[in-house]
């Protein structure tokens, strides 16, 4: 009666889903750059892919900055496991060098506009999927002559696993 248990939920997030979210939030977003030689840049396409457990973002732009800009980051789970974030998102060195070829320090102007938008758009909210799974697990379950009442008390982030096509968030649920 009231025995504790732990359940490990694995929540897959295909890169295709992440790319769709990035595109919905960033497509045709215009960014004002504080320069005299071309004040705007527009996002045309954003894609994310796995490279050895890190995520590579390719941001194709038009306007004053016309081409692909690259960012690197490592997805992490917030402590409660409801959100995948990329806290270490950084512009790739090759992109910084290319932008500084236009004007020294130009990469910082572009980065100041683009990085916060990319950080926000790349955050994946898992709360609804986890809530659906918790609802399915909670309550009374019968198997043969056995009846179990599962009560979920708490959840926490597990680890994140990577494959070529999917980020997998492991969430630990505890209850009695």
């Amino acid at each position: 009666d009231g025995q504790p248990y732990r359940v490990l939920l694995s929540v897959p997030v295909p890169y295709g889903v992440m790319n769709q979210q990035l595109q919905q939030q960033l497509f045709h977003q215009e960014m004002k750059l504080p320069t005299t030689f071309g004040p705007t840049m527009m996002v045309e396409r954003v894609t994310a892919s796995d490279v050895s457990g890190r995520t590579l973002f390719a941001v194709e732009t038009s306007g004053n900055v016309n081409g692909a800009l690259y960012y690197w980051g490592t997805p992490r789970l917030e402590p409660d496991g409801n959100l995948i974030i990329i806290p270490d998102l950084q512009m790739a060195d090759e992109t910084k060098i290319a932008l500084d070829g236009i004007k020294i320090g130009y990469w910082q102007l572009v980065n100041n506009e683009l990085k916060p938008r990319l950080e926000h758009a790349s955050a994946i909210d898992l709360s609804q999927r986890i809530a659906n799974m918790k609802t399915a697990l909670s309550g009374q379950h019968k198997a043969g002559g056995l009846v179990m009442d599962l009560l979920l008390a708490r959840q926490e982030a597990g680890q994140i696993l990577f494959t070529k096509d999917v980020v997998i968030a492991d969430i630990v649920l505890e209850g009695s």
Side-chain angles (χ1 to χ4, degrees):
D1 189 24
Q3 294 297 310
Y5 73 93
R6 290 172 62 100
V7 175
L8 178 67
L9 293 179
S10 291
V11 184
V13 180
Y15 274 103
V17 169
M18 189 182 295
N19 288 336
Q20 184 178 5
Q21 177 175 308
L22 287 164
Q23 198 65 10
Q24 284 172 346
Q25 291 189 30
L26 295 175
F27 179 65
H28 274 188
Q29 265 205 17
E30 189 174 82
M31 288 162 237
K32 303 281 187 213
L33 301 173
T35 64
T36 55
F37 56 95
T40 63
M41 172 179 79
M42 189 174 299
V43 174
E44 297 296 340
R45 183 174 161 84
V46 184
T47 54
S49 57
D50 174 73
V51 179
S52 304
R54 292 182 74 209
T55 300
L56 175 65
F57 294 91
V59 183
E60 295 172 31
T61 61
S62 63
N64 189 46
V65 178
N66 193 6
L69 307 175
Y70 297 95
Y71 279 79
W72 285 100
T74 308
R76 296 273 179 258
L77 273 171
E78 290 263 296
D80 65 3
N82 281 327
L83 193 65
I84 297 174
I85 58 170
I86 304 181
D88 65 347
L89 189 67
Q90 294 294 322
M91 185 182 277
D93 289 341
E94 300 82 0
T95 297
K96 290 178 185 177
I97 291 165
L99 289 171
D100 271 357
I102 297 170
K103 180 180 186 236
I104 298 298
Y106 194 51
W107 77 266
Q108 289 155 317
L109 297 175
V110 172
N111 190 57
N112 288 345
E113 285 297 315
L114 186 55
K115 181 182 173 183
R117 296 170 197 238
L118 192 54
E119 281 175 329
H120 177 75
S122 64
I124 306 286
D125 187 350
L126 302 175
S127 58
Q128 190 57 54
R129 288 185 242 182
I130 293 168
N132 292 345
M133 291 180 195
K134 285 166 96 170
T135 299
L137 287 171
S138 295
Q140 195 172 82
H141 298 273
K142 296 178 183 180
L146 180 67
V147 176
M148 288 190 310
D149 281 314
L150 298 181
L151 174 64
L152 297 172
R154 116 192 210 326
Q155 78 179 47
E156 66 183 43
Q159 61 182 342
I160 287 200
L161 308 168
F162 304 91
T163 71
K164 185 174 78 65
D165 301 314
V166 179
V167 175
I168 301 166
D170 283 344
I171 315 299
V172 179
L173 300 177
E174 294 181 348
S176 59

